[in-house]
Amino acid sequence: MAGGGGSRAKEDDHMGDTGLGLPPGASTVTFPALTLDNGHVMRDVVVAYSTYGELNAAGDNAVIVGHSLTSNSCVSEWWGELLGAGDGFCMDTTSDFVVCANYLGSPYGTTSPITPDPRQADGRWYAADFPTPCTIRDNVRLQRMLLDHLGVKCLRMAIGGSMGSMLAIEFGAMYPGYVKELVLVAGCGQHTAWAIGIGEAERFSIMADSKYNGGDYDPKDPPKAGLAAARMMAMLTYRSPASIKEKFERVTLGGEQTKKPLRHDELGVVAHSNEAAAAALPHFAVESYLQYQ
């Protein structure tokens, strides 16, 4: 068990610690190999995970939690309202053994573009050489290995929000006799062509940043402006039309004059200023974002 450093999150942020790497209180386990859907065999795969509660003797009280694209494994930080002691909580730590694993390719402890590539003798990061694509099914397969390692015999529930709900669905699809209940929040079974197109535009905005350099960018000076633009597009897709109107509707000053909002606080960036946008951007690795968005 080890902790990851980093700055503290803003009050409205979804995580308590925004630094890259293993978050405080999380644990890791390393598996010798994992075969991806694309046929690539990854070696020495590290999985970062957090647990709450205790596994019972029968091994049948486990709950697997799928986190969102940019979250870590610390459920208590971003779903604290659902996790706690007592039957008033969806995940009752007095009776459930709650497990959340960080995704393959995510920068919060699990093997990713910012972790050492075991194929490199000098310990260099995977960076742009990280195997792609990584699928939801790859993550479910890896997390099943983790659950077996922890002694889980079956899941009382698979629950997730956003990307995490896709993980929960896949658990049910791959292991129907292993999962008793699914709880799906703001997710889908598959992306529409519209969503895929938006994701492609987000990836291109990162790659169009001159600092991206074909993926061989300086880790000390990454393409943050491109990542900020991608995140702005993504955040717009996460909001309802009413909330978008409230944040971005032009305000009439009189006659034909209108005024745009100067700050896009909900998007985590300041409008019309790449430098300010980069400074306010939540920590997330560029290659990790390209992996799934």
Side-chain angles (χ1 to χ4, degrees), residues 219-240:
K220 296 180 180 179
D221 188 25
K224 284 190 173 183
L227 182 57
R231 191 63 180 156
M232 289 178 74
M233 283 187 274
M235 291 298 289
L236 288 172
T237 70
Y238 303 156
R239 298 291 183 261
S240 67

Side-chain angles (χ1 to χ4, degrees), residues 1-87:
M1 181 178 293
S7 60
R8 298 304 299 173
K10 297 177 293 184
E11 289 185 2
D12 61 346
D13 196 79
H14 67 299
M15 295 191 301
D17 188 284
T18 59
L20 300 180
L22 190 70
S27 302
T28 63
V29 62
T30 302
F31 295 106
L34 173 69
T35 302
L36 303 181
D37 274 352
N38 62 18
H40 182 88
V41 179
M42 298 188 70
R43 304 292 180 184
D44 300 327
V45 181
V46 178
V47 183
Y49 66 97
S50 301
T51 65
Y52 307 84
E54 300 291 335
L55 184 66
N56 63 16
D60 61 0
N61 68 326
V63 173
I64 189 74
V65 184
H67 64 70
S68 67
L69 170 69
T70 56
S71 296
N72 59 25
S73 64
C74 299
V75 181
S76 60
E77 295 182 357
W78 40 265
W79 256 7
E81 295 86 353
L82 302 182
L83 176 74
D87 59 10

Side-chain angles (χ1 to χ4, degrees), residues 131-171:
T132 188
C134 287
T135 66
I136 297 295
R137 186 173 288 114
D138 290 329
N139 279 283
V140 170
R141 192 177 297 113
L142 180 60
Q143 292 190 23
R144 176 62 191 268
M145 293 166 63
L146 170 64
L147 293 170
D148 289 346
H149 169 77
L150 295 174
V152 173
K153 302 302 181 184
C154 67
L155 290 173
R156 182 186 76 76
M157 178 171 66
I159 179 173
S162 189
M163 181 176 171
S165 71
M166 301 179 79
L167 183 96
I169 291 173
E170 195 62 41
F171 255 106

Side-chain angles (χ1 to χ4, degrees), residues 90-124:
C90 175
M91 293 170 281
D92 180 1
T93 55
T94 64
S95 60
D96 291 329
F97 178 56
V98 181
V99 181
C100 182
N102 185 229
Y103 297 140
L104 191 66
S106 173
Y108 301 119
T110 293
T111 293
S112 75
I114 64 167
T115 60
D117 182 348
R119 300 169 299 182
Q120 304 295 335
D122 60 0
R124 281 181 294 167

